[in-house]
Amino acid sequence: MSWRKTFFFLLAVAFLAGFYYFRARQEHFSKDPFSFSREAARTNVLTLADGERVGHLTIQDASRGSEIALFKAQKKNWHMVRPIRYPAESLIVDGLVSLLKLSPRARQLSFEGLGADEFGFDAPRLRICVSTDRSSKERCLLVGSDAVVAKGAYAKWEDESKYFLVSRDFLNAFDKTLYSLRKKQVFTLLDQEVMSIEFLSREEERFIKSDGKNWSLEKPLKAALGSEAMNRLLMRLNDLYVKEFLDNENARNPRLGFEPADKRIRVTFRDGSHEMLIQGREAKGKDAYYAKKGDQETVLLISLGKLNKVESAFRDLIS
């Protein structure tokens, strides 16, 4: 997936959240919604106090038998902690949190003597649990069976006695796989200013640095670099995405080619942080190379064609 496709996908998620909010506002709402705070009642599914932020999100999907737990770090990036520790797609997770906050409680009603099992809450298809920076206690939204009179499903907060409806769009938005929530872009070049880029293989080395305006090649020789060649390289780097995560592979397995590594690409940012991709051997029959990020042990598959184009872009700098 290219950065352009990612941008339009996230734009679609934001549009979906806004569309659902304004459409659902036309429904009949209750005046007793869930809230972490002791404020006046609101109609949103999730109501927070001013400045209150969701810091943890857990999605349990009964149909997949899965649980994905995420937390938000201080740098505003989301990280996955279960079932594996790995950076998450922060914009997508932020979109899910926004959807919870923007979605009204449509047709909120009391059970009036009915059992929770009649709405599927005894075995919910989905549990969405959150905690905030002001309340570490986790609260869980239960999503039960399909609604009889609308295209959606019954939902309720675990500790409340009233239920309401969530739409089919809401359900589709939270229908997330482990792969869809893991960060797949290798180098996030648009978030910070790049100070240097290094390419190292067994045969050659390229070291490029920036003074904030101009780019120059420092190794294997000194030369000023044109904007066209550098833009091509940056575009190739920005277009690298993980094709597949091989969680059951051991990065120390010699057949993967990490020790010693065939190639390394290191991007250093102005604040001193860096991102590194270590490329191993070709994964036969996968149209990909084995790879891993820096000191992380998760084995990745990255497109053979895209990595070859990155290498060509480095060589073109002095052609």
Side-chain angles (χ1 to χ4, degrees):
M1 182 184 292
S2 69
W3 69 269
R4 292 181 179 87
K5 291 181 179 178
T6 302
F7 173 78
F8 286 115
F9 173 75
L10 296 174
L11 189 63
V13 171
F15 174 78
L16 175 62
F19 172 78
Y20 176 64
Y21 172 67
F22 289 110
R23 180 180 177 183
R25 279 184 66 89
Q26 299 173 9
E27 301 288 344
H28 173 69
F29 306 136
S30 165
K31 294 184 178 181
D32 184 26
F34 162 75
S35 172
F36 277 106
S37 313
R38 296 180 180 178
E39 295 185 341
R42 299 179 183 177
T43 59
N44 296 355
V45 169
L46 174 62
T47 302
L48 303 176
D50 291 340
E52 187 176 12
R53 301 182 185 279
V54 172
H56 291 81
L57 174 69
T58 301
I59 303 172
Q60 298 175 350
D61 189 324
S63 65
R64 291 191 176 96
S66 65
E67 179 182 72
I68 301 174
L70 310 112
F71 83 96
K72 196 165 192 175
Q74 291 182 350
K75 290 186 177 181
K76 300 181 180 180
N77 293 321
W78 285 91
H79 292 263
M80 190 175 295
V81 293
R82 286 195 308 273
I84 192 166
R85 301 188 72 87
Y86 199 83
E89 292 281 13
S90 293
L91 289 177
I92 293 179
V93 182
D94 281 334
L96 295 177
V97 172
S98 295
L99 188 60
L100 281 171
K101 294 190 294 183
L102 289 173
S103 301
R105 299 183 174 202
R107 302 179 184 178
Q108 182 167 257
L109 297 168
S110 64
F111 285 101
E112 296 181 353
L114 299 174
D117 58 324
E118 298 186 48
F119 299 90
F121 296 136
D122 56 331
R125 69 169 79 174
L126 198 63
R127 287 170 58 94
I128 304 168
C129 303
V130 296
S131 63
T132 74
D133 56 355
R134 298 189 186 181
S135 175
S136 60
K137 183 179 179 181
E138 191 174 61
R139 306 288 298 275
C140 295
L141 177 71
L142 310 182
V143 179
S145 55
D146 288 337
V148 176
V149 296
K151 292 182 179 179
Y154 300 112
K156 71 178 293 290
W157 288 98
E158 196 169 38
D159 59 346
E160 293 186 351
S161 59
K162 292 186 177 182
Y163 69 92
F164 47 91
L165 302 182
V166 290
S167 74
R168 181 61 57 186
D169 291 337
F170 182 96
L171 299 177
N172 291 339
F174 278 93
D175 184 18
K176 292 290 183 285
T177 63
L178 180 63
Y179 177 82
S180 68
L181 288 177
R182 292 172 83 164
K183 183 179 179 181
K184 291 167 283 294
Q185 189 173 26
V186 176
F187 296 109
T188 50
L189 303 183
L190 301 181
D191 292 347
Q192 302 182 67
E193 184 181 355
V194 177
M195 184 174 70
S196 65
I197 304 173
E198 183 179 15
F199 172 80
L200 182 64
S201 72
R202 297 179 184 180
E203 297 82 23
E204 58 187 333
E205 180 181 5
R206 300 280 189 276
F207 184 78
I208 307 159
K209 72 175 185 179
S210 169
D211 62 7
K213 294 182 180 180
N214 302 306
W215 291 92
S216 62
L217 181 67
E218 300 296 311
K219 294 181 181 180
L221 51 85
K222 288 184 176 291
L225 296 174
S227 59
E228 183 177 346
M230 275 307 303
N231 287 340
R232 185 184 307 113
L233 173 60
L234 293 171
M235 181 184 70
R236 298 298 189 198
L237 289 172
N238 203 62
D239 200 34
L240 287 179
Y241 284 79
V242 177
K243 186 176 182 179
E244 187 177 344
F245 296 92
L246 304 179
D247 295 321
N248 295 324
E249 285 281 5
N250 186 342
R252 294 181 175 83
N253 189 330
R255 74 179 179 83
L256 302 182
F258 295 133
E259 298 177 357
D262 283 355
K263 298 179 178 71
R264 294 173 186 265
I265 302 172
R266 179 187 175 104
V267 177
T268 302
F269 299 98
R270 189 66 61 185
D271 65 358
S273 62
H274 73 272
E275 295 176 340
M276 180 187 292
L277 178 69
I278 301 173
Q279 180 181 327
R281 296 195 179 103
E282 180 180 346
K284 299 298 184 182
K286 298 284 189 178
D287 192 33
Y289 289 108
Y290 294 113
K292 68 189 189 83
K293 289 285 298 287
D295 57 358
Q296 294 179 5
E297 291 301 307
T298 302
V299 179
L300 317 170
L301 287 182
I302 298 180
S303 168
L304 182 148
K306 289 189 175 182
L307 278 173
N308 286 343
K309 287 180 179 179
V310 168
E311 187 171 351
S312 295
F314 274 108
R315 289 175 176 166
D316 289 345
L317 294 175
I318 54 173
S319 60

